[in-house]
Amino acid sequence: MGKCDGRCTLLVICSLQLVAALQRQVFDFLGYQWAPILANFLHIMAVILGMFGTVQFRFRYLIFYAVWLVVWVGWNSFIICFYLEVGKLSQDRDFLMTFNTSLHRSWWMEHGPGCLVTPVLDSRMAPDDHHVITVSGCLLDYQYIEVLSSAIQILLALFGFVYTCYVSKVFQDDEDSFDFIGGFDSYGYQPPQKSSHLQLQPLYTAG
């Protein structure tokens, strides 16, 4: 019963991670955030492997999923530090998120709740094919929306890591108990071997 509860809970956590990652992927695509897009894609693949390993009792897939969750927590911690400009990190270095391919920022910068976007006409600050805007009236600034999204990802990853370790331990215990009763043990039941030698019997004839 405990194994079933742990597996079901882990599958629910993986499903929430998958929904959250897909939602985040959409908004990162809209904002041309290529580094997060790549990270989200790898995360989606890892979550799918984790779900497959949970359903099919694949221990190695669960270990890979657990290791990836550690990396995922580190990546989202970097995202939080980036948008809060911790240390020497600065949002002016947008090439970190776009691989220096565009000047776009987070999609939430212009489309946040309550944000009013005003274009600045005849601005000399804008490069070719770009325009300068001012954003005001936002109920929640875009950097805090990104921080909240990353915090949710970290929370789900921590729960996923704990339950992955628990389910992996249950899988290992089940395999050990199965071997103990002779499931795949060499000391288990062995069928009798057929002898290849024929016993010769004397033949008597009446004469």
Side-chain angles (χ1 to χ4, degrees), residues 46-83:
V47 172
I48 293 175
L49 283 179
M51 297 177 72
F52 181 79
T54 303
V55 174
Q56 298 293 329
F57 300 93
R58 299 297 179 89
F59 179 75
R60 293 182 180 179
Y61 289 173
L62 289 178
I63 294 300
F64 174 81
Y65 171 64
V67 172
W68 169 255
L69 289 180
V70 176
V71 178
W72 186 242
V73 169
W75 167 253
N76 283 277
S77 299
F78 167 76
I79 295 294
I80 292 176
C81 294
F82 175 78
Y83 281 105

Side-chain angles (χ1 to χ4, degrees), residues 32-176:
Y32 302 97
Q33 305 292 295
W34 301 117
I37 287 172
L38 177 60
N40 293 334
F41 176 78
L42 295 176
H43 180 60
I44 292 172
M45 293 297 101
V47 172
I48 293 175
L49 283 179
M51 297 177 72
F52 181 79
T54 303
V55 174
Q56 298 293 329
F57 300 93
R58 299 297 179 89
F59 179 75
R60 293 182 180 179
Y61 289 173
L62 289 178
I63 294 300
F64 174 81
Y65 171 64
V67 172
W68 169 255
L69 289 180
V70 176
V71 178
W72 186 242
V73 169
W75 167 253
N76 283 277
S77 299
F78 167 76
I79 295 294
I80 292 176
C81 294
F82 175 78
Y83 281 105
L84 295 181
E85 297 186 342
V86 177
K88 295 183 179 180
L89 293 175
S90 174
Q91 296 183 44
D92 294 334
R93 301 177 179 179
D94 283 344
F95 62 87
L96 293 176
M97 296 299 171
T98 63
F99 295 141
N100 202 26
T101 58
S102 69
L103 298 178
H104 291 85
R105 294 195 177 186
S106 172
W107 182 83
W108 294 105
M109 182 178 182
E110 302 179 28
H111 303 87
C115 290
L116 178 61
V117 179
T118 304
V120 178
L121 302 177
D122 300 330
S123 175
R124 297 181 179 179
M125 298 175 57
D128 295 338
D129 300 330
H130 290 76
H131 61 277
V132 177
I133 61 173
T134 60
V135 182
S136 60
C138 295
L139 299 178
L140 187 63
D141 291 338
Y142 74 96
Q143 58 265 33
Y144 298 115
I145 297 178
E146 294 287 356
V147 167
L148 180 61
S149 176
S150 294
I152 293 175
Q153 295 287 344
I154 291 176
L155 184 63
L156 291 174
L158 292 177
F159 279 109
F161 182 83
V162 171
Y163 273 94
T164 300
C165 294
Y166 170 72
V167 173
S168 300
K169 181 64 166 56
V170 173
F171 286 176
Q172 287 290 89
D173 292 342
D174 288 347
E175 289 182 0
D176 293 341

